[in-house]
Amino acid sequence: MLQQIAFIIGLAAVHVYASKLRRLSAVPRSAWLSLAGGISVAYVFIHVFPALSRAHETIDAHGLLAVLEHNAYIVALIGLAVFYGLEQVASHHSEPFREGTKTRFKRLEGVFWIHVGSFSLYNALIGYLLVYRDNQFPDVVFFFLAMSAHFLVNDQALVRHHREHYLARGRWVLAGAVIIGWLVGVAVEVTEAFVGLLYAFVAGGVVLNVLKEELPEDRRSQFWPFALGVVGCTLLLVFAEP
């Protein structure tokens, strides 16, 4: 339990303090952010997706989960589509403007809360899933490091789009969401099969959120740090896990 508390506080702290790393928001994109994106994507493809293929072994042969058993990747696709849709809502209700040498976005406060609300649900799921990594060393460490890297990428995007609102309130909401998700996980136990489906949904969101930050041309992302993150995390997961 103490291990989990330390990790959940660490994940919340990423949201509280990530915005203070001002160099990460520079253009061209910080190598550290590209590295973090590579780590997040590698974790999903090397660790989470294979776990989904094994989920059918623990799902009952009847009911709704029996149907979803063979469609875990569809759940991941749904996760990707949901977060893409929310991004489109935010993008279509923004007005870019120049502030010195940087491009800022003027957004309605309602759009800010849609954005932060969606990421709060996302964070709560990640906090909930941390409960099911307990006593599975080094699995819990890999999960913590991958999600910390992912939170770092997400935070910089939210600071870029909602700077004032996010620094004043948003980061605290997201930090609280991951803690609340963990508390719910401690109080409410579900089957391993259902945990697999939650992983699928989160995995789709991770892939979308990382790639939307790395691919746009105006980010001027750095390929080699991204590739280093992918290769380094892959080697660690392949050779360090029991």
Side-chain angles (χ1 to χ4, degrees), residues 112-125:
F112 162 73
W113 285 115
I114 291 174
H115 224 170
V116 169
S118 65
F119 276 103
S120 294
L121 172 61
Y122 185 70
N123 279 17
L125 290 175

Side-chain angles (χ1 to χ4, degrees), residues 19 77 109 113 115 155 175 183 185 195 211:
S19 60
L77 181 60
E109 187 167 357
W113 285 115
H115 224 170
D155 269 31
L183 290 173
V195 171
L211 294 185

Side-chain angles (χ1 to χ4, degrees), residues 22-225:
R22 298 188 180 277
R23 289 187 178 182
L24 294 181
S25 59
V27 175
R29 188 172 180 80
S30 167
W32 292 108
L33 281 183
S34 292
L35 177 71
I39 291 172
S40 302
V41 169
Y43 182 81
V44 168
F45 279 88
I46 303 302
H47 185 87
V48 177
F49 281 173
L52 300 182
S53 68
R54 298 191 297 269
H56 70 278
E57 299 176 3
T58 61
I59 296 178
D60 294 334
H62 61 277
L64 179 59
L65 288 180
V67 176
L68 293 178
E69 168 199 348
H70 303 291
N71 297 281
Y73 292 98
I74 293 179
V75 176
L77 181 60
I78 291 172
L80 186 149
V82 166
F83 285 100
Y84 178 71
L86 291 168
E87 278 298 314
Q88 289 300 298
V89 170
S91 297
H92 292 161
H93 292 82
S94 64
E95 298 178 5
F97 66 93
R98 299 294 294 181
E99 183 179 280
T101 60
K102 297 181 179 180
T103 299
R104 301 294 188 192
F105 294 84
K106 182 179 179 181
R107 301 196 174 199
L108 299 175
E109 187 167 357
V111 175
F112 162 73
W113 285 115
I114 291 174
H115 224 170
V116 169
S118 65
F119 276 103
S120 294
L121 172 61
Y122 185 70
N123 279 17
L125 290 175
I126 290 173
Y128 187 91
L129 291 171
L130 180 64
V131 174
Y132 295 89
R133 304 272 66 78
D134 192 25
N135 298 321
Q136 297 181 37
F137 189 89
D139 187 19
V140 64
V141 177
F142 293 148
F143 182 81
F144 169 74
L145 293 177
M147 293 302 102
S148 293
H150 184 51
F151 282 178
L152 190 63
V153 173
N154 288 345
D155 269 31
Q156 293 306 311
L158 289 167
V159 168
R160 185 175 69 254
H161 292 304
H162 307 285
R163 185 173 187 81
E164 291 77 15
H165 290 314
Y166 184 74
L167 294 180
R169 288 166 288 179
R171 58 181 175 147
W172 300 103
V173 172
L174 294 188
V178 72
I179 294 174
I180 291 172
W182 175 75
L183 290 173
V184 172
V186 171
V188 180
E189 184 176 354
V190 297
T191 66
E192 186 177 345
F194 191 74
V195 171
L197 295 176
L198 291 180
Y199 258 115
F201 185 81
V202 168
V206 170
V207 172
L208 183 279
N209 287 315
V210 170
L211 294 185
K212 78 178 176 61
E213 290 302 312
E214 288 296 321
L215 294 182
E217 186 176 352
D218 62 355
R219 301 285 194 279
R220 295 173 62 187
S221 300
Q222 301 189 48
F223 171 74
W224 291 114

Side-chain angles (χ1 to χ4, degrees), residues 12-23:
V14 172
H15 285 301
V16 174
Y17 295 107
S19 60
K20 298 183 182 298
L21 304 175
R22 298 188 180 277
R23 289 187 178 182

